[in-house]
Amino acid sequence: MKKIALFPGSFDPFTKGHEDIVLRGLRIFDEVVIGIGTNSTKKRYFPLEVMKELIERTFADFPNIKVIAYDDLTAHTARMLDARFLLRGLRNTTDFEYENGISQVNRYVYEEIETVFLITSPHLAPISSSIIRDLHRYGQRVDDFLPYSLNELNELNQDQ
Ligand code: ADP
């Protein structure tokens, strides 16, 4: 049976830290589905469709990496995709406390699901989407933290 993992997150924006988790996940799973959770009550900084497109471009050469947006429980989405695994990254104990809770809830909703945690690669540990948003908001260049070019993002933004 094909091992499919869903990598759920806000990805606002998708960073080199996320990219690293996806690529390392591919050594364990046959397919990784990057799931951008859409929460209508939470306003995004980077538009969803733009981010989806940029992630798709990042992994254009990988037939076993897919990108979806979903508005449902993560566990329901995993079941719908036939994904028996959730992939998540851990940077520190704060991440652990949070991840511990959601992974228990996900197994409550979908008993067969297992969350697999990959410890961050040390050089990527300081990267977080919220820090990147703050830097970007005040005009700081953030390209070094992203696996795609922000010029592309600006072009896509203008098209939207
Ligand atoms: P969420 O809003 O669900 O926390 P994020 O987009 O912030 O989603 O993160 C998705 C996943 O990626 C989480 O498991 C988070 O811990 C992990 N992650 C984020 N940044 C890094 C990083 N630099 N290294 C490893 N894992 C990371």
Side-chain angles (χ1 to χ4, degrees):
M1 206 171 123
K2 202 164 141 187
K3 282 200 178 110
I4 304 172
L6 171 63
F7 180 34
S10 314
F11 306 122
D12 190 19
F14 189 89
T15 70
K16 282 188 177 171
H18 297 131
E19 179 195 34
D20 180 61
I21 297 294
V22 171
L23 295 177
R24 288 165 58 204
L26 271 194
R27 294 190 205 143
I28 307 172
F29 305 109
D30 300 313
E31 185 178 310
V32 173
V33 181
I34 300 164
I36 312 174
T38 62
N39 180 342
S40 43
T41 59
K42 205 166 143 190
K43 197 163 161 20
R44 292 184 65 90
Y45 182 79
F46 293 102
L48 175 77
E49 284 308 319
V50 171
M51 193 47 59
K52 184 165 176 279
E53 172 76 29
L54 289 171
I55 302 171
E56 277 165 354
R57 288 184 188 192
T58 302
F59 298 114
D61 295 337
F62 293 81
N64 45 358
I65 298 176
K66 300 208 164 75
V67 190
I68 60 160
Y70 68 96
D71 184 2
D72 196 350
L73 290 179
T74 299
H76 288 170
T77 306
R79 196 188 340 235
M80 191 263 297
L81 293 166
D82 261 335
R84 295 272 307 281
F85 305 92
L86 294 176
L87 177 62
R88 295 284 285 180
L90 285 181
R91 283 163 294 187
N92 47 45
T93 53
T94 312
D95 274 354
F96 172 77
E97 296 292 340
Y98 176 68
E99 297 291 339
N100 188 14
I102 41 176
S103 101
Q104 305 293 354
V105 171
N106 282 325
R107 272 187 69 213
Y108 169 81
V109 177
Y110 176 16
E111 210 179 323
E112 289 82 32
I113 198 99
E114 286 294 351
T115 307
V116 174
F117 298 99
L118 297 186
I119 300 289
T120 183
S121 297
H123 66 293
L124 300 171
I127 302 181
S128 81
S129 297
S130 63
I131 291 175
I132 291 175
R133 288 197 297 275
D134 284 344
L135 292 172
H136 189 260
R137 190 175 287 127
Y138 295 106
Q140 174 64 45
R141 195 176 158 276
V142 291
D143 291 61
D144 289 347
F145 305 115
L146 307 175
Y148 42 82
S149 147
L150 266 196
N151 292 335
E152 280 181 75
L153 190 147
N154 292 335
E155 283 161 25
L156 284 167
N157 259 330
Q158 276 159 19
D159 294 347
Q160 296 272 316

